[in-house]
Amino acid sequence: MAITNFGIASYGAGIKAIAEGHKSLDAVIQSVLTGRPDGLPPGYNKLADNSVTPQELELVHGLELGVSEIMTLSQVEPAPLPIKEFCAKPENINLKGLCK
């Protein structure tokens, strides 16, 4: 249960950071860890450090994929078409129960 709650809270923190206009991975990570998307301390760049293990790099890659997924899911799409416009498209004209 705790892991599920942590996952949901982390996902929400990432979405909130992106919704507030933060686009860097650092801001999203900081938001997940502290609840605030403040930047990391100046000069902090753990990925440039040679002491990072291959396992840690794999975890960072997974996190980057997760952030990418959050950004994809949080994109605002155009509003749905009204039924009249939807049914006016040639490929939709013969949809039984909806356009016919």
Coordinates of all heavy atoms in Angstrom, one line a residue:
M1 N 0.8 -1.2 0.0 CA 0.0 0.0 0.0 C 0.9 1.3 0.0 O 0.6 2.2 -0.7 CB -0.9 0.0 1.2 CG -1.8 1.1 1.3 SD -3.1 0.9 0.1 CE -4.4 1.9 0.8
A2 N 1.9 1.3 0.8 CA 2.8 2.4 0.9 C 3.5 2.7 -0.5 O 3.6 3.8 -0.9 CB 3.8 2.2 2.0
I3 N 3.9 1.6 -1.1 CA 4.6 1.8 -2.4 C 3.6 2.4 -3.4 O 4.0 3.3 -4.2 CB 5.2 0.5 -2.9 CG1 6.3 0.0 -2.0 CG2 5.6 0.6 -4.4 CD1 6.9 -1.3 -2.3
T4 N 2.4 1.9 -3.4 CA 1.4 2.5 -4.3 C 1.1 4.0 -4.1 O 1.1 4.8 -5.0 CB 0.0 1.7 -4.2 OG1 0.2 0.3 -4.5 CG2 -1.0 2.3 -5.1
N5 N 1.0 4.3 -2.8 CA 0.8 5.7 -2.5 C 2.0 6.6 -2.9 O 1.9 7.7 -3.4 CB 0.6 5.9 -1.0 CG -0.8 5.4 -0.6 OD1 -1.7 5.2 -1.4 ND2 -1.0 5.1 0.7
F6 N 3.2 6.0 -2.7 CA 4.5 6.7 -3.1 C 4.5 6.9 -4.6 O 4.8 8.0 -5.1 CB 5.7 6.0 -2.6 CG 7.0 6.6 -3.1 CD1 7.4 7.8 -2.5 CD2 7.7 6.1 -4.1 CE1 8.6 8.4 -2.9 CE2 8.9 6.7 -4.5 CZ 9.3 7.8 -3.9
G7 N 4.1 5.9 -5.3 CA 4.1 6.0 -6.8 C 3.1 7.1 -7.3 O 3.4 7.9 -8.1
I8 N 1.9 7.1 -6.7 CA 0.9 8.0 -7.1 C 1.3 9.5 -6.7 O 1.2 10.4 -7.5 CB -0.5 7.7 -6.4 CG1 -1.0 6.4 -7.0 CG2 -1.5 8.8 -6.6 CD1 -2.2 5.8 -6.2
A9 N 1.9 9.6 -5.5 CA 2.4 10.9 -5.1 C 3.5 11.4 -6.0 O 3.5 12.6 -6.3 CB 2.8 10.9 -3.6
S10 N 4.4 10.5 -6.3 CA 5.5 10.9 -7.2 C 5.1 11.3 -8.5 O 5.5 12.3 -9.1 CB 6.5 9.8 -7.3 OG 7.1 9.5 -6.0
Y11 N 4.1 10.6 -9.1 CA 3.6 10.9 -10.4 C 2.9 12.2 -10.4 O 3.1 13.1 -11.3 CB 2.6 9.7 -10.8 CG 2.1 9.8 -12.2 CD1 2.9 9.4 -13.2 CD2 0.8 10.2 -12.5 CE1 2.5 9.4 -14.6 CE2 0.4 10.3 -13.8 CZ 1.2 9.9 -14.8 OH 0.8 9.9 -16.1
G12 N 2.1 12.5 -9.3 CA 1.4 13.7 -9.2 C 2.4 14.9 -9.0 O 2.2 16.0 -9.6
A13 N 3.5 14.7 -8.3 CA 4.5 15.8 -8.1 C 5.1 16.1 -9.5 O 5.4 17.2 -9.8 CB 5.5 15.3 -7.1
G14 N 5.4 15.0 -10.2 CA 6.0 15.3 -11.6 C 5.1 16.0 -12.5 O 5.5 17.0 -13.2
I15 N 3.8 15.6 -12.5 CA 2.8 16.3 -13.3 C 2.7 17.8 -12.9 O 2.6 18.7 -13.7 CB 1.5 15.6 -13.3 CG1 1.6 14.3 -14.0 CG2 0.3 16.5 -13.9 CD1 0.3 13.4 -14.0
K16 N 2.6 18.0 -11.6 CA 2.5 19.4 -11.1 C 3.7 20.2 -11.5 O 3.5 21.4 -11.9 CB 2.4 19.4 -9.5 CG 2.2 20.8 -9.0 CD 2.1 20.7 -7.4 CE 2.0 22.1 -6.9 NZ 2.6 22.4 -5.7
A17 N 4.9 19.7 -11.4 CA 6.1 20.5 -11.8 C 6.0 20.8 -13.3 O 6.3 22.0 -13.7 CB 7.3 19.7 -11.5
I18 N 5.6 19.9 -14.1 CA 5.5 20.1 -15.6 C 4.4 21.1 -15.9 O 4.5 22.0 -16.7 CB 5.2 18.8 -16.3 CG1 6.5 17.9 -16.2 CG2 4.9 19.0 -17.8 CD1 6.3 16.5 -16.6
A19 N 3.2 21.0 -15.2 CA 2.1 21.9 -15.3 C 2.5 23.4 -15.0 O 2.0 24.3 -15.5 CB 0.9 21.5 -14.5
E20 N 3.4 23.5 -14.0 CA 3.9 24.8 -13.6 C 4.9 25.4 -14.6 O 5.5 26.5 -14.4 CB 4.4 24.8 -12.2 CG 3.4 24.5 -11.1 CD 3.9 24.4 -9.7 OE1 5.2 24.3 -9.6 OE2 3.1 24.4 -8.8
G21 N 5.3 24.6 -15.6 CA 6.2 25.1 -16.6 C 7.6 24.6 -16.5 O 8.5 25.0 -17.3
H22 N 7.9 23.8 -15.5 CA 9.3 23.3 -15.4 C 9.5 22.1 -16.4 O 8.7 21.2 -16.5 CB 9.5 22.8 -13.9 CG 9.3 23.8 -12.9 ND1 10.3 24.7 -12.6 CD2 8.3 24.2 -12.2 CE1 9.9 25.6 -11.7 NE2 8.6 25.3 -11.4
K23 N 10.6 22.2 -17.1 CA 10.8 21.2 -18.2 C 12.1 20.4 -18.0 O 12.3 19.4 -18.6 CB 10.9 21.9 -19.5 CG 9.6 22.6 -19.9 CD 9.5 22.9 -21.3 CE 8.2 23.7 -21.6 NZ 7.0 23.0 -21.5
S24 N 12.9 20.8 -17.0 CA 14.1 20.0 -16.8 C 13.9 18.8 -15.9 O 13.0 18.8 -15.1 CB 15.2 20.9 -16.2 OG 14.9 21.1 -14.8
L25 N 14.7 17.8 -16.2 CA 14.6 16.6 -15.4 C 15.0 16.9 -13.9 O 14.3 16.3 -13.0 CB 15.6 15.5 -16.0 CG 15.7 14.2 -15.2 CD1 14.3 13.5 -15.2 CD2 16.7 13.3 -15.8
D26 N 15.9 17.8 -13.7 CA 16.3 18.2 -12.3 C 15.1 18.7 -11.6 O 14.9 18.4 -10.4 CB 17.4 19.2 -12.4 CG 18.7 18.6 -12.8 OD1 18.8 17.4 -12.9 OD2 19.6 19.4 -13.1
A27 N 14.3 19.6 -12.2 CA 13.1 20.2 -11.5 C 12.1 19.1 -11.2 O 11.5 19.1 -10.1 CB 12.5 21.3 -12.4
V28 N 11.9 18.2 -12.1 CA 10.9 17.1 -11.8 C 11.4 16.2 -10.7 O 10.6 15.9 -9.8 CB 10.6 16.3 -13.1 CG1 9.7 15.2 -12.9 CG2 10.0 17.2 -14.2
I29 N 12.6 15.8 -10.7 CA 13.2 15.0 -9.7 C 13.1 15.7 -8.3 O 12.7 15.1 -7.3 CB 14.6 14.6 -10.0 CG1 14.7 13.6 -11.2 CG2 15.3 14.0 -8.8 CD1 16.1 13.4 -11.7
Q30 N 13.4 17.0 -8.3 CA 13.4 17.7 -7.1 C 11.9 17.8 -6.6 O 11.7 17.7 -5.4 CB 13.9 19.1 -7.3 CG 14.2 19.9 -6.1 CD 15.3 19.5 -5.2 OE1 16.0 18.5 -5.6 NE2 15.5 20.1 -4.1
S31 N 11.0 18.0 -7.5 CA 9.6 18.0 -7.1 C 9.1 16.7 -6.5 O 8.4 16.7 -5.5 CB 8.7 18.3 -8.3 OG 7.4 18.4 -8.0
V32 N 9.6 15.6 -7.1 CA 9.2 14.3 -6.6 C 9.8 14.0 -5.2 O 9.2 13.5 -4.3 CB 9.7 13.1 -7.5 CG1 9.6 11.8 -6.9 CG2 8.9 13.2 -8.8
L33 N 11.1 14.5 -5.0 CA 11.7 14.3 -3.7 C 11.3 15.2 -2.6 O 11.2 14.8 -1.5 CB 13.3 14.4 -3.9 CG 13.9 13.4 -4.8 CD1 15.4 13.7 -5.0 CD2 13.7 12.0 -4.2
T34 N 11.1 16.5 -2.9 CA 10.8 17.5 -1.9 C 9.4 18.1 -2.0 O 9.0 18.8 -1.1 CB 11.8 18.6 -1.9 OG1 11.6 19.3 -3.2 CG2 13.2 18.1 -1.8
G35 N 8.7 17.9 -3.1 CA 7.4 18.5 -3.3 C 7.5 19.9 -3.9 O 6.5 20.5 -4.2
R36 N 8.7 20.4 -4.1 CA 8.9 21.7 -4.7 C 9.9 21.5 -5.9 O 10.9 20.9 -5.7 CB 9.6 22.7 -3.7 CG 8.6 23.0 -2.5 CD 9.3 24.0 -1.6 NE 10.7 23.7 -1.3 CZ 11.1 23.0 -0.3 NH1 10.3 22.4 0.5 NH2 12.4 22.8 -0.2
P37 N 9.6 22.1 -7.0 CA 10.4 21.9 -8.2 C 11.6 22.9 -8.3 O 12.0 23.3 -9.3 CB 9.5 22.2 -9.4 CG 8.5 23.1 -8.8 CD 8.3 22.7 -7.4
D38 N 12.1 23.3 -7.1 CA 13.3 24.2 -7.0 C 14.4 23.5 -7.7 O 14.5 22.2 -7.7 CB 13.6 24.5 -5.6 CG 12.5 25.2 -4.9 OD1 11.7 25.8 -5.5 OD2 12.4 25.0 -3.6
G39 N 15.3 24.2 -8.3 CA 16.5 23.6 -8.9 C 17.4 23.0 -7.9 O 17.4 23.2 -6.7
L40 N 18.3 22.1 -8.4 CA 19.3 21.5 -7.5 C 20.3 22.5 -7.2 O 20.5 23.5 -7.9 CB 19.9 20.3 -8.2 CG 18.9 19.1 -8.5 CD1 19.6 18.1 -9.4 CD2 18.4 18.5 -7.2
P41 N 21.1 22.3 -6.1 CA 22.1 23.3 -5.8 C 23.1 23.5 -6.9 O 23.4 22.6 -7.7 CB 22.9 22.6 -4.6 CG 21.9 21.6 -4.1 CD 21.1 21.2 -5.2
P42 N 23.6 24.7 -7.1 CA 24.5 25.1 -8.2 C 25.7 24.1 -8.2 O 26.3 23.8 -7.1 CB 25.0 26.5 -7.9 CG 24.0 27.0 -6.9 CD 23.4 25.9 -6.2
G43 N 26.1 23.7 -9.3 CA 27.3 22.8 -9.5 C 27.0 21.4 -9.2 O 27.9 20.5 -9.3
Y44 N 25.8 21.0 -8.8 CA 25.5 19.6 -8.6 C 25.1 19.0 -9.9 O 24.2 19.3 -10.5 CB 24.3 19.5 -7.6 CG 23.9 18.1 -7.3 CD1 24.6 17.4 -6.3 CD2 22.9 17.5 -8.0 CE1 24.3 16.1 -6.1 CE2 22.6 16.1 -7.7 CZ 23.3 15.5 -6.7 OH 23.0 14.2 -6.5
N45 N 25.9 18.0 -10.2 CA 25.6 17.2 -11.4 C 26.1 15.8 -11.2 O 27.2 15.5 -11.6 CB 26.2 17.8 -12.7 CG 25.7 17.1 -13.9 OD1 25.0 16.1 -13.9 ND2 26.1 17.6 -15.1
K46 N 25.4 15.0 -10.5 CA 25.8 13.6 -10.2 C 26.1 12.8 -11.4 O 26.9 11.9 -11.4 CB 24.8 13.0 -9.3 CG 25.2 11.6 -8.8 CD 24.3 11.2 -7.7 CE 24.7 9.8 -7.2 NZ 25.7 9.7 -6.2
L47 N 25.4 13.0 -12.5 CA 25.6 12.2 -13.7 C 26.9 12.4 -14.3 O 27.4 11.6 -15.0 CB 24.5 12.5 -14.7 CG 23.1 12.1 -14.3 CD1 22.0 12.5 -15.4 CD2 23.0 10.7 -14.0
A48 N 27.5 13.6 -14.1 CA 28.9 13.8 -14.6 C 30.0 13.2 -13.8 O 31.1 13.1 -14.2 CB 29.1 15.3 -14.7
D49 N 29.6 12.8 -12.6 CA 30.5 12.2 -11.6 C 30.8 10.7 -12.1 O 30.0 10.0 -12.5 CB 29.8 12.1 -10.3 CG 30.8 11.7 -9.2 OD1 32.0 11.3 -9.5 OD2 30.4 11.7 -8.0
N50 N 32.1 10.4 -12.1 CA 32.5 9.1 -12.6 C 32.2 8.0 -11.6 O 32.4 6.8 -11.9 CB 34.0 9.1 -12.9 CG 34.3 9.9 -14.1 OD1 33.5 10.1 -15.0 ND2 35.6 10.5 -14.1
S51 N 31.8 8.3 -10.4 CA 31.5 7.3 -9.4 C 30.1 6.7 -9.6 O 29.7 5.8 -8.8 CB 31.6 7.9 -8.0 OG 30.6 8.9 -7.8
V52 N 29.3 7.1 -10.6 CA 28.0 6.5 -10.8 C 28.2 5.1 -11.4 O 28.9 4.9 -12.3 CB 27.2 7.4 -11.8 CG1 25.9 6.8 -12.1 CG2 27.1 8.8 -11.2
T53 N 27.5 4.1 -10.7 CA 27.6 2.7 -11.2 C 26.7 2.5 -12.4 O 25.7 3.3 -12.6 CB 27.2 1.8 -10.0 OG1 25.8 2.0 -9.8 CG2 28.0 2.1 -8.8
P54 N 26.9 1.4 -13.1 CA 26.0 1.1 -14.2 C 24.5 0.9 -13.7 O 23.6 1.3 -14.4 CB 26.6 -0.2 -14.8 CG 28.0 -0.1 -14.4 CD 28.1 0.6 -13.1
Q55 N 24.4 0.4 -12.6 CA 23.0 0.2 -12.0 C 22.3 1.5 -11.8 O 21.2 1.7 -12.1 CB 23.0 -0.6 -10.7 CG 23.1 -2.0 -10.8 CD 23.0 -2.7 -9.4 OE1 23.7 -2.2 -8.5 NE2 22.2 -3.7 -9.3
E56 N 23.1 2.5 -11.3 CA 22.5 3.8 -11.0 C 22.2 4.5 -12.4 O 21.2 5.2 -12.5 CB 23.5 4.7 -10.2 CG 23.6 4.2 -8.8 CD 24.8 4.9 -8.1 OE1 25.8 5.3 -8.7 OE2 24.7 5.1 -6.8
L57 N 23.0 4.3 -13.4 CA 22.8 4.9 -14.7 C 21.5 4.3 -15.3 O 20.7 5.0 -15.9 CB 23.9 4.7 -15.6 CG 25.2 5.6 -15.4 CD1 26.3 5.2 -16.3 CD2 24.8 7.1 -15.5
E58 N 21.3 3.0 -15.1 CA 20.1 2.3 -15.5 C 18.9 2.9 -14.8 O 17.8 3.1 -15.5 CB 20.2 0.8 -15.3 CG 19.1 0.0 -15.9 CD 19.3 -1.5 -15.7 OE1 20.4 -2.0 -15.6 OE2 18.3 -2.2 -15.5
L59 N 19.0 3.1 -13.5 CA 17.9 3.7 -12.8 C 17.5 5.2 -13.3 O 16.4 5.5 -13.5 CB 18.2 3.8 -11.3 CG 18.2 2.4 -10.6 CD1 18.7 2.6 -9.2 CD2 16.8 1.8 -10.6
V60 N 18.6 5.9 -13.6 CA 18.4 7.3 -14.1 C 17.7 7.2 -15.5 O 16.8 8.0 -15.8 CB 19.7 8.0 -14.2 CG1 19.6 9.3 -15.0 CG2 20.3 8.3 -12.8
H61 N 18.1 6.2 -16.3 CA 17.5 6.1 -17.6 C 16.0 5.7 -17.5 O 15.2 6.3 -18.2 CB 18.2 5.0 -18.4 CG 17.6 4.7 -19.8 ND1 17.7 5.7 -20.8 CD2 17.0 3.7 -20.2 CE1 17.0 5.2 -21.8 NE2 16.6 4.0 -21.5
G62 N 15.7 4.9 -16.5 CA 14.3 4.5 -16.2 C 13.5 5.7 -15.8 O 12.4 5.9 -16.2
L63 N 14.1 6.6 -15.0 CA 13.5 7.8 -14.5 C 13.2 8.7 -15.7 O 12.2 9.4 -15.8 CB 14.3 8.5 -13.4 CG 13.7 9.7 -12.8 CD1 12.3 9.5 -12.2 CD2 14.6 10.3 -11.8
E64 N 14.2 8.9 -16.5 CA 14.0 9.7 -17.7 C 12.9 9.2 -18.6 O 12.1 10.0 -19.1 CB 15.3 9.8 -18.5 CG 16.4 10.6 -17.9 CD 17.8 10.5 -18.6 OE1 18.0 9.5 -19.4 OE2 18.6 11.3 -18.3
L65 N 12.8 7.9 -18.7 CA 11.6 7.4 -19.5 C 10.3 7.7 -18.8 O 9.3 8.0 -19.5 CB 11.8 5.9 -19.7 CG 12.9 5.4 -20.6 CD1 13.0 3.9 -20.6 CD2 12.7 5.9 -22.0
G66 N 10.3 7.6 -17.5 CA 9.1 7.9 -16.7 C 8.7 9.4 -16.9 O 7.5 9.7 -17.1
V67 N 9.7 10.3 -16.8 CA 9.4 11.7 -17.0 C 8.9 12.0 -18.4 O 8.0 12.7 -18.6 CB 10.7 12.5 -16.7 CG1 10.5 14.0 -17.2 CG2 11.0 12.5 -15.3
S68 N 9.5 11.3 -19.4 CA 9.0 11.4 -20.8 C 7.6 11.0 -20.9 O 6.8 11.6 -21.6 CB 9.9 10.6 -21.7 OG 9.4 10.6 -23.0
E69 N 7.2 9.9 -20.2 CA 5.8 9.4 -20.2 C 4.9 10.4 -19.6 O 3.8 10.7 -20.1 CB 5.7 8.1 -19.5 CG 4.4 7.4 -19.6 CD 4.0 6.9 -21.0 OE1 4.9 6.7 -21.8 OE2 2.8 6.8 -21.2
I70 N 5.3 11.0 -18.5 CA 4.5 12.0 -17.8 C 4.3 13.2 -18.7 O 3.2 13.7 -18.8 CB 5.2 12.5 -16.5 CG1 5.2 11.4 -15.4 CG2 4.5 13.8 -15.9 CD1 6.0 11.7 -14.2
M71 N 5.3 13.6 -19.4 CA 5.2 14.8 -20.3 C 4.2 14.4 -21.5 O 3.4 15.2 -21.9 CB 6.5 15.2 -20.9 CG 7.4 15.8 -19.8 SD 9.0 16.2 -20.3 CE 8.8 18.0 -20.4
T72 N 4.3 13.2 -22.0 CA 3.4 12.8 -23.0 C 2.0 12.8 -22.6 O 1.1 13.2 -23.3 CB 3.8 11.4 -23.5 OG1 5.1 11.4 -24.0 CG2 2.9 10.9 -24.6
L73 N 1.7 12.2 -21.4 CA 0.4 12.1 -20.8 C -0.2 13.5 -20.4 O -1.4 13.7 -20.4 CB 0.3 11.2 -19.6 CG 0.6 9.7 -19.9 CD1 0.7 8.9 -18.7 CD2 -0.5 9.2 -20.9
S74 N 0.7 14.5 -20.2 CA 0.2 15.8 -19.7 C 0.0 16.8 -20.8 O -0.4 17.9 -20.6 CB 1.1 16.3 -18.7 OG 2.3 16.6 -19.2
Q75 N 0.2 16.4 -22.1 CA 0.0 17.3 -23.2 C -1.5 17.6 -23.4 O -2.3 16.7 -23.4 CB 0.5 16.7 -24.5 CG 2.0 16.5 -24.5 CD 2.8 17.7 -24.2 OE1 2.6 18.8 -24.8 NE2 3.8 17.7 -23.3
V76 N -1.8 18.8 -23.6 CA -3.2 19.2 -23.8 C -3.6 19.0 -25.2 O -2.9 19.4 -26.1 CB -3.4 20.7 -23.4 CG1 -4.9 21.1 -23.7 CG2 -3.0 20.9 -21.9
E77 N -4.7 18.3 -25.4 CA -5.2 17.9 -26.8 C -6.3 18.9 -27.1 O -7.0 19.5 -26.3 CB -5.7 16.5 -26.8 CG -4.6 15.5 -26.6 CD -3.5 15.4 -27.6 OE1 -3.8 15.6 -28.8 OE2 -2.4 15.1 -27.3
P78 N -6.6 19.0 -28.4 CA -7.7 19.9 -28.8 C -9.0 19.2 -28.3 O -9.1 18.0 -28.1 CB -7.7 19.9 -30.3 CG -6.8 18.8 -30.7 CD -5.9 18.5 -29.6
A79 N -10.0 20.1 -28.2 CA -11.4 19.6 -27.7 C -11.9 18.6 -28.7 O -11.7 18.6 -29.9 CB -12.3 20.8 -27.5
P80 N -12.8 17.7 -28.2 CA -13.4 16.7 -29.1 C -14.3 17.4 -30.1 O -14.9 18.5 -29.8 CB -14.2 15.8 -28.1 CG -14.1 16.3 -26.8 CD -13.1 17.5 -26.8
L81 N -14.5 16.8 -31.2 CA -15.4 17.4 -32.2 C -16.9 17.2 -31.8 O -17.2 16.1 -31.3 CB -15.2 16.6 -33.6 CG -13.9 16.9 -34.3 CD1 -13.8 16.0 -35.6 CD2 -13.8 18.3 -34.7
P82 N -17.7 18.1 -32.2 CA -19.1 17.9 -32.0 C -19.6 16.8 -32.9 O -19.0 16.5 -33.9 CB -19.8 19.2 -32.5 CG -18.7 20.2 -32.4 CD -17.4 19.5 -32.6
I83 N -20.6 16.0 -32.5 CA -21.1 14.9 -33.2 C -21.4 15.2 -34.7 O -21.1 14.5 -35.6 CB -22.4 14.3 -32.6 CG1 -22.0 13.7 -31.2 CG2 -23.0 13.2 -33.4 CD1 -21.2 12.5 -31.2
K84 N -22.0 16.4 -34.9 CA -22.4 16.8 -36.3 C -21.1 16.9 -37.2 O -21.1 16.4 -38.3 CB -23.1 18.2 -36.2 CG -23.7 18.6 -37.5 CD -24.5 19.9 -37.3 CE -25.1 20.2 -38.7 NZ -26.0 21.4 -38.5
E85 N -20.0 17.5 -36.6 CA -18.8 17.5 -37.4 C -18.1 16.2 -37.6 O -17.6 15.8 -38.7 CB -17.8 18.5 -36.7 CG -18.0 19.9 -36.9 CD -16.9 20.8 -36.3 OE1 -15.7 20.5 -36.5 OE2 -17.3 21.7 -35.5
F86 N -18.2 15.4 -36.5 CA -17.6 14.0 -36.6 C -18.3 13.2 -37.6 O -17.7 12.5 -38.4 CB -17.7 13.4 -35.2 CG -17.3 11.9 -35.1 CD1 -15.9 11.7 -35.0 CD2 -18.1 10.9 -35.2 CE1 -15.4 10.4 -35.0 CE2 -17.7 9.6 -35.2 CZ -16.3 9.3 -35.0
C87 N -19.6 13.2 -37.7 CA -20.4 12.5 -38.6 C -20.3 13.0 -40.0 O -20.6 12.3 -41.0 CB -21.9 12.4 -38.2 SG -22.1 11.3 -36.7
A88 N -19.9 14.2 -40.2 CA -19.7 14.8 -41.5 C -18.5 14.3 -42.3 O -18.4 14.4 -43.5 CB -19.7 16.3 -41.4
K89 N -17.6 13.7 -41.5 CA -16.4 13.2 -42.2 C -16.7 11.9 -42.9 O -17.5 11.1 -42.4 CB -15.3 12.9 -41.1 CG -14.7 14.1 -40.4 CD -13.6 13.7 -39.5 CE -13.0 15.0 -39.0 NZ -11.7 14.7 -38.3
P90 N -16.2 11.8 -44.1 CA -16.6 10.6 -45.0 C -16.4 9.2 -44.3 O -17.2 8.3 -44.5 CB -15.7 10.7 -46.2 CG -15.3 12.2 -46.2 CD -15.3 12.6 -44.8
E91 N -15.3 9.1 -43.5 CA -15.0 7.8 -42.9 C -16.0 7.5 -41.8 O -16.0 6.3 -41.3 CB -13.5 7.7 -42.4 CG -13.2 8.7 -41.3 CD -12.7 10.1 -41.8 OE1 -12.9 10.4 -43.0 OE2 -12.1 10.8 -41.0
N92 N -16.7 8.5 -41.3 CA -17.6 8.2 -40.2 C -19.1 8.2 -40.5 O -19.9 7.9 -39.7 CB -17.4 9.3 -39.1 CG -16.0 9.3 -38.6 OD1 -15.3 8.3 -38.6 ND2 -15.5 10.5 -38.2
I93 N -19.4 8.5 -41.7 CA -20.8 8.7 -42.1 C -21.6 7.4 -41.9 O -22.8 7.5 -41.4 CB -20.9 9.1 -43.6 CG1 -20.4 10.5 -43.8 CG2 -22.3 8.9 -44.2 CD1 -20.4 11.0 -45.2
N94 N -21.1 6.3 -42.1 CA -21.9 5.0 -42.0 C -21.8 4.3 -40.6 O -22.1 3.2 -40.5 CB -21.5 4.1 -43.1 CG -21.9 4.6 -44.5 OD1 -22.9 5.2 -44.6 ND2 -21.0 4.4 -45.4
L95 N -21.3 5.0 -39.6 CA -21.2 4.4 -38.3 C -22.6 4.2 -37.7 O -23.3 5.2 -37.4 CB -20.4 5.3 -37.3 CG -18.9 5.3 -37.6 CD1 -18.2 6.3 -36.7 CD2 -18.2 4.0 -37.5
K96 N -23.0 3.0 -37.6 CA -24.4 2.6 -37.1 C -24.5 3.0 -35.6 O -23.6 2.8 -34.8 CB -24.6 1.2 -37.3 CG -24.7 0.7 -38.7 CD -25.1 -0.7 -38.8 CE -25.1 -1.1 -40.3 NZ -25.4 -2.5 -40.5
G97 N -25.6 3.6 -35.3 CA -25.9 3.9 -33.9 C -25.4 5.3 -33.5 O -25.7 5.8 -32.4
L98 N -24.5 5.9 -34.3 CA -24.0 7.2 -34.0 C -24.2 8.2 -35.0 O -24.8 9.2 -34.7 CB -22.4 7.0 -33.7 CG -21.7 8.3 -33.3 CD1 -22.2 8.7 -31.9 CD2 -20.2 8.1 -33.2
C99 N -23.9 7.9 -36.3 CA -24.0 8.8 -37.4 C -25.2 8.4 -38.3 O -25.4 9.2 -39.2 CB -22.7 8.9 -38.1 SG -21.4 9.6 -37.1
K100 N -25.8 7.3 -38.1 CA -26.8 6.9 -39.1 C -28.1 6.6 -38.4 O -28.1 6.1 -37.3 CB -26.3 5.6 -39.8 CG -27.0 5.4 -41.1 CD -26.3 4.4 -41.9 CE -27.0 4.4 -43.3 NZ -26.5 3.4 -44.2

